[in-house]
Amino acid sequence: KLSLEGPDHRRLSPASITVTGQDQLTVRIEDRIAKNNDIEPTIAAPMVAENTAQTPNEQEPISQGTSTGSAPLTAPLTATDIPTVRQAWSNDRKLPEMITVGMPSDRAFQLEFVLIPPGTFEMGMPATLPMMPGNKQEWADASRPAHQVTITQPFYLSPYEVTQKQFRDVMGGGLTPVTGDGTKFPATQIPWDACVDFCDRLSNSGTNIPEGGKVRLPTEAEWEYACRAGTTTRFWSGDEIGPHQASLRISGREMQLEPVNSFQPNPFGLYQVHGNVAEWCSDWFSPGFYASSGKADPRGPTDGSRKVIRGGGYSNPPFSATSHWRQSYEPDTRSGNIGLRPVIELPAR
C-alpha cells in the first residue's frame, strides 16, 4: 500500500494505492501541478509496492531525455535506488525493464530477463570479514583481496535459474533430468560447454532479443554485482541465512531442489541467487586472480583448466553460497548441484 501526499500537504486523489498479488509491480505516479493555466507533469521516480513506501515528493525526479551514463549505481544502496536508476537507464537506452525471449520453433517457450543497470561495487571478501563455520583459510583467500569493480554497461539477466524444460526445449532434449513437466525446477547435470551451446542457440534463434544483443553466461563480476544488488553483507539479505531463505545445507531443512521462483527475490528481482543450484560463469578460475583483476568489466584469466561457479547448491553449506564465494569445476563436470542463469550482453554505447 502506497500512502500519497503532495507538496505542501496538498490533497491528492486517490490518497493511496493498494496493489495485491505476488508479482513485483512498478507504479508510476505523475504529480500534475497547474501553472499559468497549463498542466505541466513532473514525473516522479518509479515506486515498488512494499509494506511501507516513500511519498512521491521524497524521491528525486528523473529528467526525461537526460543521459544517465554519469549516474551508475554505487553500493550501498537505498531501497529506492534500484528501480529509480533502472528506469532511468531504460528510458535513456530505450530498453524495456523486462523482456521475454521466445523461439519461433516453440511458441510455448519463454525465458524472462530483467534489466540490470551498470554500477560500482566492492567485489570479493573483505579482509576484516570473519570466516563462517566450515570455511578454510585457503578457500577464503581465493575470494580476496576485496577490490572495487565497475560494470560499465547495462545488461539483462534472467530472474530465474533456467528450468529443465527450458533447457531441453532449446537443446532438443537430453542432458538434464526432468521432474514432472520440467517447468518448476532448475536444469542440472549440465556441463559448461552445453550451457554455452544453450546460450548460442538462443542467441541465434531467439526472438525479442535487443538488436546486437547476445545471450551468454555471466562473468563472475556481473554475477556478484547482480547477486549483491547494492548490499555489502555476506548474503543480499544479511550476514546470516536461514532455512526459510534458501535451499542449502542448513539445520532445519531437507537438502533438496526447490522451484526456481522459491523464496524472496533480491532487490534486482533475482530468485535463488543463494543456494538451490550453483551457476556456471564464463570465467576461467585462478585463485590469485583478484590480486591483478581489472577494475572495469573484468572477465577473468585468458585460459585455465576450471570454470567459475557461483551461488552454491542445495547440498552446500551457507559459507559456500555467499555473494563473494568462488568455486570452480572442470568444464565437463555434470552435477545435480550446478545449473545456469544466462545474461543478454548489449552492444556498447
Side-chain angles (χ1 to χ4, degrees):
K1 182 175 181 179
L2 307 178
S3 297
L4 310 179
E5 181 179 309
D8 302 321
H9 304 285
R10 290 190 301 107
R11 180 179 299 175
L12 298 183
S13 179
S16 67
I17 296 174
T18 301
V19 180
T20 60
Q22 296 182 351
D23 294 334
Q24 177 174 300
L25 303 177
T26 301
V27 178
R28 178 188 291 263
I29 297 173
E30 295 187 5
D31 182 16
R32 299 181 178 273
I33 303 173
K35 183 179 180 181
N36 298 329
N37 298 323
D38 292 325
I39 300 296
E40 295 185 4
T42 299
I43 308 299
M47 301 176 69
V48 177
E50 297 176 333
N51 290 334
T52 59
Q54 292 178 302
T55 58
N57 57 302
E58 291 177 320
Q59 303 195 37
E60 294 184 9
I62 298 173
S63 300
Q64 300 295 328
T66 299
S67 174
T68 58
S70 60
L73 291 166
T74 302
L77 307 175
T78 66
T80 57
D81 285 332
I82 285 176
T84 300
V85 178
R86 172 182 277 156
Q87 188 188 41
W89 280 89
S90 173
N91 292 341
D92 186 66
R93 294 290 182 93
K94 296 179 174 57
L95 295 167
E97 294 184 38
M98 294 193 71
I99 60 175
T100 300
V101 173
M103 289 197 307
S105 60
D106 184 355
R107 292 189 177 182
F109 177 86
Q110 292 186 329
L111 184 58
E112 296 178 13
F113 289 86
V114 62
L115 185 65
I116 307 294
T120 298
F121 72 111
E122 186 177 73
M123 184 173 182
M125 182 178 181
T128 56
L129 186 66
M131 292 192 298
M132 297 183 71
N135 201 350
K136 293 183 179 180
Q137 189 64 52
E138 60 268 30
W139 299 344
D141 286 345
S143 300
R144 290 170 169 163
H147 55 292
Q148 189 179 83
V149 166
T150 298
I151 304 298
T152 65
Q153 298 293 324
F155 62 95
Y156 283 98
L157 180 62
S158 177
Y160 313 104
E161 298 154 339
V162 171
T163 66
Q164 299 158 354
K165 186 177 188 303
Q166 288 169 334
F167 192 85
R168 286 197 166 198
D169 285 349
V170 172
M171 301 297 285
L175 290 178
T176 180
V178 176
T179 303
D181 63 3
T183 61
K184 294 183 178 180
F185 294 93
T188 60
Q189 301 287 350
I190 307 167
W192 184 86
D193 288 339
C195 293
V196 173
D197 192 11
F198 171 90
C199 294
D200 289 344
R201 292 187 187 206
L202 198 55
S203 286
N204 295 330
S205 63
T207 60
N208 207 33
I209 298 174
E211 184 177 358
K214 175 185 177 182
V215 182
R216 59 167 172 78
L217 293 177
T219 66
E220 67 168 326
E222 290 169 339
W223 190 96
E224 184 171 331
Y225 171 71
C227 172
R228 287 185 178 278
T231 63
T232 57
T233 47
R234 287 192 179 100
F235 307 92
W236 70 261
S237 53
D239 279 325
E240 304 294 334
I241 198 163
H244 61 289
Q245 295 174 298
S247 180
L248 288 164
R249 193 201 310 164
I250 303 174
S251 176
R253 67 164 298 118
E254 186 177 349
M255 288 191 295
Q256 62 183 16
L257 284 175
E258 298 287 352
V260 296
N261 62 348
S262 299
F263 309 110
Q264 183 180 358
N266 78 355
F268 274 137
L270 308 177
Y271 291 78
Q272 299 274 29
V273 288
H274 303 301
N276 215 35
V277 290
E279 299 164 12
W280 286 113
C281 293
S282 60
D283 306 50
W284 290 108
F285 175 78
S286 170
F289 177 70
Y290 281 7
S292 58
S293 172
K295 293 184 177 181
D297 304 315
R299 290 182 176 258
T302 56
D303 55 27
S305 61
R306 300 165 69 92
K307 288 291 184 178
V308 172
I309 63 169
R310 288 300 204 105
Y314 69 92
S315 65
N316 295 136
F319 76 81
S320 62
T322 58
S323 300
H324 58 258
W325 184 254
R326 307 173 74 214
Q327 288 180 285
S328 65
Y329 281 92
E330 288 79 8
D332 60 356
T333 299
R334 297 184 61 175
S335 168
N337 231 24
I338 305 176
L340 75 155
R341 184 192 305 263
V343 308
I344 298 177
E345 178 184 341
L346 300 171
R349 182 180 133 184

